[in-house]
Amino acid sequence: MSARIEVSAILISQLQKGDEAAFRAIYNQLHQRIYRMLFALVKNHEQTEDLLQQTFVNLWMNRTKLNESQPLYPYVYLTARRLAVDYFRKKILEDNAKVYLTQHHERQGEYTAEAHAAMDLQRFTEEAIKTLPRQQQTAFLLSRYEGLSHDEIAERMQISRNTVKNHLICALKHLKRHFVKHDIMYFYFLFFIS
């Protein structure tokens, strides 16, 4: 046991100086145990290989910070474990981002489809309103788009309240026929019979 610590101390010392042969020797001693530990965590050979490589790259990059009097395995083990934890954190964030983007894209698609349908219906409605006689059209627009009461419309158009009422009834009948003809009854009831 003490011979192995001595060898490890020598290898660590050589590694600190940038000795690639010492690095390969340390890799050969530790990589199987680290691989098994990583694979037990991530359950994926490709990802385990990647984390193993990162672990030993980290060891090489930080070789000057090593303490030759301390065992190397715990340091390498903790490095590998930290990298595995980072991998899982990143994976969770990526998975959450994918779920969010997928849901957002689906909602966006729904909104876009709804917006297009609403725009088409709006255009259809405006065209239908343009087919109304001028007085009916004016009364209807003042009622539905400006929200004026029958009395306010009568005052604005300088006609009687009954005439306003008749204009609106005729306009609604005309629009209903137009919407029924084009199979858009549901929208008619939502928009006009409120």
Side-chain angles (χ1 to χ4, degrees), residues 1-15 26 29-30 67-73:
M1 186 80 137
S2 62
R4 186 170 180 178
I5 292 171
E6 201 173 306
V7 170
S8 294
I10 292 167
L11 284 175
I12 293 168
S13 177
Q14 291 171 338
L15 175 63
I26 291 169
Q29 280 184 1
L30 301 180
N67 182 345
E68 60 193 57
S69 65
Q70 292 185 352
L72 189 60
Y73 179 75

Side-chain angles (χ1 to χ4, degrees), residues 24-41:
R24 277 193 298 279
I26 291 169
Y27 177 85
N28 289 336
Q29 280 184 1
L30 301 180
H31 84 276
Q32 286 181 346
R33 288 176 72 188
I34 298 298
Y35 181 92
R36 282 193 300 271
M37 180 272 295
L38 286 169
F39 186 76
L41 292 172

Side-chain angles (χ1 to χ4, degrees), residues 87-167:
Y87 160 75
F88 283 117
R89 278 195 192 120
K90 185 178 174 189
K91 186 167 174 21
I92 288 168
L93 287 173
E94 286 173 357
D95 290 349
N96 287 344
K98 284 177 189 171
V99 167
Y100 170 79
L101 289 173
T102 301
Q103 289 173 346
H104 181 71
H105 180 71
E106 287 170 2
R107 281 195 303 261
Q108 200 64 23
E110 289 169 12
Y111 295 148
T112 303
E114 288 171 9
H116 283 298
M119 284 170 44
D120 288 344
L121 285 170
Q122 182 66 33
R123 269 194 299 275
F124 182 80
T125 303
E126 287 169 5
E127 288 169 13
I129 291 169
K130 286 177 186 173
T131 65
L132 292 170
R134 191 176 58 80
Q135 289 286 86
Q136 287 179 22
Q137 189 180 126
T138 303
F140 182 81
L141 292 172
L142 290 172
S143 171
R144 296 298 171 187
Y145 290 104
E146 291 189 33
L148 299 182
S149 69
H150 289 184
D151 290 330
E152 291 168 324
I153 295 168
E155 188 178 324
R156 173 109 36 117
M157 293 180 68
Q158 295 184 344
I159 56 176
S160 74
R161 186 180 195 284
N162 276 343
T163 306
V164 169
K165 188 175 176 182
N166 288 336
H167 281 325

